[in-house]
Amino acid sequence: MRIAIDAMGGDHAPECNVEGALAAAAEWKDTQIVLVGDEQRLLPLLKQGGGTVPSNLTVHHAGEVIEAEDEPVKAVRRKKDASMVVAGRMLKEKQAEAMISAGNTGALMTTGLLVVGRMEGIERPALAPMIPTLDEAGVLALDLGANMDAKPEHLAQYALMGSLYREKVMGVNNPRVGLLNVGTEAGKGNELTKLAFPLLQELPINFIGNVEARDIMLGSCDVLVCDGFAGNILLKAVEGTAGAMFKLLKEQFTQNMRSKLGAALLMPQLRNLKGKLDYKEHGGAPLLGLSGLVVKSHGSADGNAIKNAVRQARVALQNQLVESISKEISGK
């Protein structure tokens, strides 16, 4: 099992990627971790502290980097030696079974399409991160930004891929699939959701109908289907609300000595609450619908998030996720 990590991608690269790779290699001896990036920057980081580099951790040199501000298509086409592109090529050429990147999301999607390639029968791959819920089970939501526009058939494919991922990677039996909408009634929504609704009803999934945004964090479904435009707005709203809530709590708890004492007493519960809403605990978001396994880690991921992304990729590979989706989509 070989997993390539785009070592130069992310806000805290390459340090966070090296940290996560070392932790993953130490924990899972059956997995070969390949850090793809600038050897001159990576090797000193691996040797810091005088420890021994695990035998299942290697470096594959790539001399260029796709930056956050780069235009995705131009960057992927022009920077052939970029760490992200090289990792994608390794996946395409079977030198790796999965790749992970915390880099430019648009560039990773482009790498998936132009370098790794789409799965046969899939028109639009989807970005599928986890949205936290109060019961800590989370909801897998797709598409949350890979494609701004979608057709009803695309939403149907998202539903099928999301259901398979939730079942095979996360062990959820008969996952409940909901369609993001402005109301729960079957006739609600815009033209896209009205046309998608009957298509989802015909699929071999546990489709529970329309779901409103206000109910998502209450755990109303296991898989949420939407177009990338609405999905990305939903994701940013959830992240913004969580951030604003903790900012308000901090302001309230630091007003005076009494509130500070109250904060000290509540600190374990507050940390637990923050952990429930922490994207880092979920590892990353798979790009479903590609011919190989690609996992997008958050841009501000730390070493723990990268390690969790490796764990996520291992489980997906062990359960033959890509093969299962391909078989379901093609009907073969």
Side-chain angles (χ1 to χ4, degrees):
M1 198 184 299
R2 295 160 297 181
I3 299 174
I5 298 176
D6 168 19
M8 314 310 290
D11 300 342
H12 308 299
E15 289 80 5
C16 69
N17 296 307
V18 172
E19 181 187 338
L22 283 167
E27 180 153 345
W28 298 298
K29 300 294 185 183
D30 62 343
T31 304
Q32 183 72 32
I33 309 293
V34 184
L35 280 167
V36 183
D38 187 350
E39 282 183 341
Q40 292 187 343
R41 293 186 64 187
L42 296 176
L43 292 177
L45 291 172
L46 286 169
K47 295 174 182 177
Q48 273 183 359
T52 304
V53 179
S55 59
N56 59 328
L57 176 58
T58 58
V59 173
H60 186 107
H61 181 68
E64 295 181 287
V65 179
I66 292 180
E67 307 290 351
E69 63 274 9
D70 282 348
E71 199 283 314
V73 177
K74 287 181 181 178
V76 171
R77 284 180 171 161
R78 293 177 182 176
K79 294 184 175 181
K80 302 292 186 184
D81 197 36
S83 54
M84 183 187 292
V85 177
V86 173
R89 201 155 54 238
M90 289 175 67
L91 183 57
K92 174 71 173 179
E93 296 171 359
K94 309 300 181 185
Q95 296 176 42
E97 280 73 54
M99 73 166 282
I100 296 166
S101 177
N104 184 317
T105 302
L108 185 61
M109 184 65 186
T110 304
T111 297
L113 290 171
L114 300 184
V115 180
V116 180
R118 275 186 305 227
M119 187 181 291
E120 185 180 352
I122 293 290
E123 289 189 38
R124 300 275 182 88
L127 185 65
M130 290 291 292
I131 293 179
T133 56
L134 298 185
D135 61 3
E136 299 185 55
V139 56
L140 183 80
L142 67 167
D143 174 30
L144 292 202
N147 311 281
M148 289 299 105
D149 298 304
K151 296 177 182 178
E153 310 86 69
H154 299 154
L155 296 191
Q157 290 188 341
Y158 298 166
L160 190 54
M161 292 191 296
S163 182
L164 283 167
Y165 184 86
R166 201 74 161 104
E167 182 179 355
K168 291 191 169 291
V169 178
M170 298 181 172
V172 178
N173 184 40
N174 200 27
R176 300 163 297 154
V177 180
L179 178 64
L180 181 63
N181 214 323
V182 295
T184 57
E185 300 87 352
K188 287 280 188 176
N190 56 15
E191 186 178 358
L192 174 63
T193 55
K194 287 178 182 177
L195 291 173
F197 192 96
L199 296 183
L200 269 63
Q201 285 181 309
E202 294 169 6
L203 292 174
I205 60 173
N206 181 16
F207 178 52
I208 62 168
N210 292 325
V211 173
E212 293 187 67
R214 66 184 177 188
D215 297 323
I216 290 165
M217 294 190 72
L218 298 176
S220 56
C221 61
D222 302 304
V223 178
L224 181 71
V225 175
C226 54
D227 65 274
F229 183 77
N232 198 259
I233 291 174
L234 171 68
L235 180 64
K236 298 294 172 56
V238 170
E239 288 180 340
T241 301
M245 183 179 70
F246 283 108
K247 184 178 179 181
L248 285 171
L249 285 172
K250 186 176 181 181
E251 289 175 358
Q252 293 297 315
F253 281 131
T254 55
Q255 283 186 344
N256 52 52
M257 186 56 67
R258 181 180 292 180
S259 62
K260 287 178 182 177
L261 286 171
L265 292 171
L266 289 171
M267 194 55 67
Q269 287 79 12
L270 291 172
R271 286 202 183 100
N272 183 45
L273 176 60
K274 191 172 184 180
K276 285 184 179 182
L277 301 176
D278 190 356
Y279 64 85
K280 297 187 184 77
E281 294 303 316
H282 294 294
L287 275 170
L288 299 177
L290 297 174
S291 61
L293 181 62
V294 177
V295 177
K296 170 69 175 76
S297 196
H298 202 286
S300 57
D302 58 11
N304 186 50
I306 298 300
K307 180 188 174 184
N308 279 329
V310 172
R311 171 187 50 75
Q312 193 175 355
R314 288 181 78 256
V315 175
L317 291 172
Q318 288 168 343
N319 287 282
Q320 298 183 311
L321 173 71
V322 173
E323 294 84 352
S324 296
I325 292 175
S326 178
K327 183 178 180 181
E328 199 69 46
I329 294 294
S330 66
K332 297 177 183 177

